[in-house]
Amino acid sequence: FCPASSTTTRKTMTDYPPKGLSSTLAELPEWIKAGCGDNEYICAERGATFPGDPCPALLPDLKEHHNFMAEALKASPGLYDKLKSTKTASGVGLGKCIKTGIDNKSHPMIKTVGLVAGDEECFSTFKDLFDPVISARHGGYPPNATHPTDMNPGNLLPTKIDPDNKYVQTTRCRTGRSVRGFRLPPACTFEERRELERVIVKGLLSLTGPLAGEYFPLHGSRSYGPMPTGMTKEKEEELRSRGNLFQEPDSTLLLSSGCGRHWPDARGIFHNKDMNFFVWINEEDHMR
């Protein structure tokens, strides 16, 4: 059972946002709607029952869990008790970070990470957990390692990916960026998400030349004054048909991470006039 009840649906028009659900989600399954409102994602039908805050006194049985986070906790039996009552300066606790890994057991042959950061400080406050998980996920990456970076386009190989133009239709380069001082999507509040949208959009709208463009909030978002109900359905369908736009979270991995709360409010896409430069706002990252 998932508590996205008919009562919640009846409150949609009067309480959304931040309470209730957007009318744009009305046709989605109940297990998805349960993670797109104002509450923590709890859905017994999908095995999502771990509270994001506060942590329970006892760690659930992880014998059948196979993600990297669960393996790190099993390797250090006292680690959960050491960290369960700790919070970062912005109030993010261990529960927010591990909920998606507790709710989703993963598979020995298809291992997920099972761990998310609620803010930048999580990487230091919960380093005893984050460090081994990051290292295991990347096949050995110690805390003092330096990520290799090369931003010189002149170093790109001249080899053509598809010299005969038979196979490749599109290619893309993608990166994620976060704004310092704001909690990350798993833990940010309704107000923080809207402020993030305002700050990021202000910066993007100042771009000139070939990067100049327009911002389009998701259909149903009520956060952006110039488009108070978001982009049109037709615009949204156009972008999705081209593979340029994300949609609501449709997996318990994302819903348990908290990335679906208040959906679709303060989420959207910026693109330039030539539609070859896109910025997603407030999906799984602040920007992608």
Side-chain angles (χ1 to χ4, degrees):
F1 173 73
C2 298
S5 65
S6 57
T7 301
T8 301
T9 305
R10 286 197 296 270
K11 292 180 179 179
T12 294
M13 298 306 294
T14 57
D15 291 355
Y16 178 81
K19 305 293 183 181
L21 289 171
S22 168
S23 59
T24 62
L25 308 177
E27 302 303 316
L28 293 178
E30 293 297 313
W31 68 267
I32 294 180
K33 288 193 285 188
C36 294
D38 189 48
N39 299 322
E40 192 80 63
Y41 183 58
I42 300 294
C43 182
E45 172 193 337
R46 294 281 164 162
T49 58
F50 187 78
D53 186 48
C55 276
L58 299 177
L59 177 66
D61 187 352
L62 301 181
K63 283 199 297 289
E64 297 182 358
H65 287 65
H66 302 285
N67 54 60
F68 288 103
M69 178 278 299
E71 290 185 349
L73 287 180
K74 286 188 284 188
S76 301
L79 189 54
Y80 178 81
D81 287 337
K82 176 183 176 182
L83 300 177
K84 67 183 180 183
S85 299
T86 305
K87 290 184 180 290
T88 67
S90 70
V92 179
L94 178 67
K96 280 285 186 188
C97 301
I98 67 174
K99 175 175 168 57
T100 187
I102 300 294
D103 288 349
N104 299 277
K105 297 178 180 180
S106 189
H107 187 279
M109 304 303 293
I110 311 174
K111 292 173 65 172
T112 57
V113 175
L115 184 68
V116 297
D119 63 14
E120 180 182 1
E121 191 184 319
C122 286
F123 292 97
S124 55
T125 300
F126 305 115
K127 72 183 306 295
D128 290 346
L129 179 59
F130 273 82
D131 284 355
V133 168
I134 292 170
S135 180
R137 173 62 180 83
H138 294 284
Y141 196 83
N144 61 348
T146 301
H147 193 288
T149 301
D150 186 354
M151 301 299 289
N152 182 2
N155 290 335
L156 291 172
L157 296 175
T159 304
K160 293 184 179 297
I161 299 173
D162 183 16
D164 298 322
N165 295 319
K166 290 182 178 179
Y167 308 105
V168 178
Q169 295 186 0
T170 63
T171 60
R172 67 180 179 183
C173 298
R174 187 171 77 175
T175 185
R177 289 291 182 268
S178 299
V179 181
R180 177 158 283 168
F182 289 87
R183 280 178 284 193
L184 300 173
C188 74
T189 64
F190 173 80
E191 292 77 15
E192 277 181 300
R193 193 182 298 107
R194 284 196 164 193
E195 178 61 8
L196 265 168
E197 179 190 49
R198 185 192 69 79
V199 169
I200 295 170
V201 170
K202 180 180 178 181
L204 291 172
L205 292 179
S206 71
L207 295 174
T208 59
L211 298 182
E214 190 174 357
Y215 174 64
F216 298 89
L218 293 187
H219 180 64
S221 174
R222 302 181 185 180
S223 58
Y224 185 58
M227 295 185 192
T229 57
M231 72 178 92
T232 64
K233 286 185 178 180
E234 292 73 22
K235 176 67 174 178
E236 200 167 71
E237 289 170 1
E238 174 199 354
L239 289 168
R240 288 211 175 109
S241 68
R242 294 165 55 103
N244 298 135
L245 185 62
F246 57 92
Q247 63 185 43
E248 69 282 340
D250 59 358
S251 75
T252 53
L253 283 170
L254 290 174
L255 293 167
S256 288
S257 76
C259 287
R261 288 175 298 111
H262 314 115
W263 200 275
D265 197 74
R267 279 100 168 174
I269 183 173
F270 172 92
H271 69 70
N272 64 346
K273 295 174 184 176
D274 291 334
M275 296 189 73
N276 58 14
F277 173 66
F278 302 88
V279 180
W280 293 354
I281 297 176
N282 285 328
E283 188 227 13
E284 294 178 43
D285 299 290
H286 289 167
M287 289 175 280
R288 180 177 287 191

